[in-house]
């Protein structure tokens, strides 16, 4: 399975999502062989891995180099995906995940690309990120996507300081502290939906 992170705005949580989905797939039972391919010239994921003082249960490699064997390949991409690159990403991926902050301007930026996404309902999923406490914004954003025929995951990723703190240590949040373990539950829920969809073809 190849999962690609793409977005039409930068700084929405692509790399963070790539890291935490890899952590989930590599540690759940049965464990999967997981590779994170960094396709961002900024090398954010590679730098993160190199700065890590922990042994990670997945490999992080440069997407332009030969890839090791994998069950799940997670591909991180540069800050902004050009609309005309999107079709290629969809073609080469099992699933394209589009993290989108729950703020209305971010939601509209993804909605604007609806025509490019709508033809591939089984291959594109929006992941709502930057969720505040409470469900109101999440539900408003999800409803807008539903109305436009765009699929989003059930649940999203809360905005929590532990992601920034853990990134400094080069460690997935679930291994950072107790707050991080709770935060990781958001990604576990998303990962489980991905695996369910994969199994059901
Ligand atoms: N759920 C979250 N809560 C709080 N901070 C977060 C969360 N997810 C990511 N961040 C922080 O937000 C910043 C941007 O996240 P990230 O680098 O994952 O986004 P990106 O989409 O990959 O950015 P770019 O477009 O530059 O590649 C980072 O500092 C990261 O630690
Ligand atoms: Mg990134």
């Amino acid at each position: 399975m190849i999962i690609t992170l793409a977005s039409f705005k930068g700084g929405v949580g692509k790399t963070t999502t790539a890291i935490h989905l890899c952590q989930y797939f590599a540690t759940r039972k049965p464990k999967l062989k997981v590779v994170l391919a960094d396709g961002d010239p900024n090398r954010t994921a590679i730098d993160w891995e190199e700065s890590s003082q922990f042994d990670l249960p997945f490999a992080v490699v440069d997407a332009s180099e030969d890839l090791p064997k994998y069950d799940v390949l997670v591909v991180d991409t540069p800050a902004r995906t050009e609309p005309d690159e999107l079709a290629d990403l969809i073609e080469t991926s099992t699933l394209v995940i589009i993290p989108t902050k729950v703020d209305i301007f971010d939601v509209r930026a993804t909605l604007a690309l609806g025509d490019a996404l709508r033809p591939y309902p089984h291959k594109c999923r929006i992941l709502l990120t930057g969720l505040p406490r409470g469900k109101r914004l999440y539900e408003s954003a999800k409803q807008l996507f539903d109305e436009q025929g765009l699929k989003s995951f059930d649940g999203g990723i809360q905005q929590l300081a532990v992601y920034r703190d853990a990134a400094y240590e080069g460690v997935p949040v679930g291994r950072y502290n107790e707050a991080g373990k709770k935060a990781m539950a958001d990604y576990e829920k998303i990962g489980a939906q991905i695996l369910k969809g994969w199994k059901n073809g």
Side-chain angles (χ1 to χ4, degrees), residues 85-115:
E85 290 166 359
L86 190 62
D88 277 352
L89 294 183
I90 292 170
E91 175 84 44
T92 55
S93 308
T94 318
L95 180 68
V96 175
I97 299 178
I98 301 150
T100 301
K101 283 203 171 170
V102 76
D103 307 70
I104 186 62
F105 298 151
D106 294 69
V107 168
R108 285 196 186 127
T110 298
L111 284 172
L113 271 293
D115 287 346

Side-chain angles (χ1 to χ4, degrees), residues 7 9-17 40 42 44 76-80 101 129-130 157-164 167 187:
S7 72
K9 277 201 164 202
V12 294
K14 287 181 298 298
T15 305
T16 303
T17 297
D40 184 346
N42 284 331
T44 314
D76 190 22
T77 65
R80 279 183 198 76
K101 283 203 171 170
T129 59
I157 310 302
Q158 295 174 77
Q159 179 82 20
L160 295 169
V162 68
Y163 284 98
R164 287 199 172 88
Y187 278 111

Side-chain angles (χ1 to χ4, degrees), residues 123-189:
K123 294 192 98 180
C124 301
R125 280 282 176 291
I126 291 152
L127 174 63
L128 284 165
T129 59
L131 302 188
R133 274 170 184 269
K135 289 211 137 195
R136 196 167 40 84
L137 274 186
Y138 164 77
E139 280 168 359
S140 302
K142 192 165 173 62
Q143 190 183 345
L144 280 174
F145 287 125
D146 286 350
E147 284 169 3
Q148 299 286 321
L150 299 176
K151 293 208 172 195
S152 51
F153 286 104
D154 282 333
I157 310 302
Q158 295 174 77
Q159 179 82 20
L160 295 169
V162 68
Y163 284 98
R164 287 199 172 88
D165 293 338
Y168 258 91
E169 308 273 321
V171 64
V173 286
R175 286 178 59 182
Y176 184 70
N177 63 12
E178 283 306 311
K181 274 188 198 145
K182 283 192 190 143
M184 187 63 197
D186 285 348
Y187 278 111
E188 287 162 3
K189 213 173 146 193

Side-chain angles (χ1 to χ4, degrees), residues 19-102:
I19 288 167
H20 290 88
L21 286 179
C22 283
Q23 175 73 12
Y24 170 75
F25 293 133
T27 52
R28 62 177 286 284
K29 296 218 169 54
K31 289 178 190 169
L32 296 166
K33 192 162 175 42
V34 181
V35 173
L36 197 173
D38 190 345
D40 184 346
N42 284 331
R43 295 169 55 92
T44 314
I46 293 172
D47 286 348
W48 172 83
E49 190 258 352
E50 285 176 355
S51 75
S52 180
Q53 287 144 30
F54 292 81
D55 277 339
L56 297 169
F58 54 89
V60 184
V61 299
D62 187 326
S64 63
E65 288 174 9
D66 285 345
L67 300 176
K69 282 213 166 76
Y70 60 80
D71 300 311
V72 182
L73 176 69
V74 177
V75 184
D76 190 22
T77 65
R80 279 183 198 76
T81 304
E82 295 301 326
D84 58 344
E85 290 166 359
L86 190 62
D88 277 352
L89 294 183
I90 292 170
E91 175 84 44
T92 55
S93 308
T94 318
L95 180 68
V96 175
I97 299 178
I98 301 150
T100 301
K101 283 203 171 170
V102 76

